[in-house]
Amino acid sequence: MKKLLLLLFIAFGVTLSHANGIRILFIGDSITDGGWGRSGGDMRSSQERNLWDLNHIYGHSYMFLCAAYYQSAFPEKELQFYNRGISGNTLNDLSTRWEEDAIALHPDVISILVGTNDVDASLANDSFDSQVWEKEYRALLDKTIQHNPNVKLVLCTPFTAETGRLKGSSNYRIRESRIQTCADIIERLANDYRAILVTYHTLFNHLLKEYPIQEGQYWIWDGIHPTPAGHQRMADLWIENTKEFLGH
């Protein structure tokens, strides 16, 4: 057992210390998660995941595509990427694990995508307190800046589509409205904190309108989760918005 733990420690250490470049953290819910760390799609904590197997360290979401692009295009920069998305997470869930999954990694860049599960949960009790949500989000950003005043924030907006299991759902318009409320809050936060804003809700609204292939399921298959094509477009937009400080 001791030998196994030592091997795991060495392997884990390699993934954290092999480079000296900028550290970029992606954190959020299942859309970011992508089954990283051999989670198999389960809602496992970061500690329960495989942290050394580089075949699966990033998962298969837009985060993987962003990391693959930057690390392959600029190897000399030794950029370090971390995925800490966990399926099912709300903003409160992020707050609960922020110290361990964000602060402790000492990231130079933090990309946050959250909101869809908050809205989903709000539909059950038919209430969504946007003021409380914004206050909690601000507290998270304040804590991050207190730890590292120079951290670069990338705030991504949540999105939805009336496709898949959400097609024709009785409360879809309420869901859509609350997702838009979250997006509006995030746009305001990006302005207040001088963060980079990535408007995924606008991206998918455009794609669904311009390319309504397979009734929109070509981009978002179940109303919440993007297809591989959708994840690629997400990565493209993220890269477009961050290339000024991460590289062209």
Side-chain angles (χ1 to χ4, degrees):
M1 177 60 74
K2 289 183 178 179
K3 184 177 181 180
L4 176 61
L5 290 175
L6 178 61
L7 289 173
L8 289 176
F9 177 79
I10 293 172
F12 180 45
V14 168
T15 65
L16 292 182
S17 62
H18 76 285
N20 299 310
I22 294 174
R23 302 164 74 91
I24 302 115
L25 169 67
F26 284 71
I27 193 165
D29 50 40
S30 59
I31 298 168
T32 301
D33 187 332
W36 74 272
R38 288 184 175 273
S39 73
D42 294 338
M43 299 166 61
R44 299 183 190 180
S45 67
S46 298
Q47 299 84 350
E48 296 174 296
R49 302 190 185 211
N50 186 312
L51 299 174
W52 57 269
D53 183 352
L54 298 186
N55 284 329
H56 304 277
I57 198 67
Y58 292 153
H60 52 257
S61 71
Y62 71 100
M63 180 274 164
F64 167 83
L65 298 170
C66 292
Y69 167 77
Y70 274 117
Q71 289 184 319
S72 64
F74 308 103
E76 72 282 359
K77 295 188 177 186
E78 297 186 276
L79 300 173
Q80 300 179 70
F81 283 83
Y82 301 90
N83 190 341
R84 289 299 182 269
I86 294 182
S87 180
N89 267 200
T90 62
L91 180 60
N92 183 257
D93 292 322
L94 294 194
S95 299
T96 300
R97 62 187 178 92
W98 200 254
E99 193 69 36
E100 188 165 3
D101 278 356
I103 301 298
L105 291 175
H106 304 289
D108 301 294
V109 180
I110 299 182
S111 179
I112 307 170
L113 173 56
V114 71
T116 193
N117 290 312
D118 297 83
V119 169
D120 200 54
S122 77
L123 296 174
N125 53 27
D126 198 30
S127 66
F128 179 67
D129 194 327
S130 60
Q131 292 183 331
V132 169
W133 198 80
E134 180 173 351
K135 183 178 180 180
E136 186 174 7
Y137 208 134
R138 286 183 182 275
L140 204 63
L141 299 181
D142 290 339
K143 180 188 295 187
T144 305
I145 293 171
Q146 286 172 8
H147 174 75
N148 179 8
N150 297 316
V151 68
K152 191 66 178 178
L153 300 170
V154 181
L155 306 185
C156 307
T157 62
F159 51 87
T160 189
E162 195 174 4
T163 62
R165 65 182 178 85
L166 297 186
K167 184 73 172 179
S169 62
S170 60
N171 59 6
Y172 179 76
R173 295 305 162 204
I174 299 174
R175 178 189 295 273
E176 185 180 46
S177 175
R178 292 177 184 176
I179 287 289
Q180 182 62 54
T181 296
C182 289
D184 291 341
I185 290 171
I186 291 168
E187 289 190 37
R188 184 159 59 247
L189 293 176
N191 182 68
D192 292 348
Y193 287 84
R194 297 182 179 179
I196 290 175
L197 176 66
V198 183
T199 54
Y200 283 140
H201 69 300
T202 301
L203 168 68
F204 282 109
N205 286 342
H206 167 74
L207 290 174
L208 292 164
K209 183 180 295 184
E210 294 298 314
Y211 309 98
I213 307 168
Q214 299 172 13
E215 297 184 328
Q217 286 185 269
Y218 186 86
W219 304 108
I220 302 179
W221 66 276
D222 64 349
I224 294 175
H225 300 93
T227 61
H231 277 289
Q232 181 64 65
R233 290 300 187 107
M234 289 179 70
D236 291 343
L237 185 60
W238 198 93
I239 292 166
E240 179 65 28
N241 280 273
T242 59
K243 65 183 182 181
E244 285 192 11
F245 69 95
L246 285 181
H248 292 273

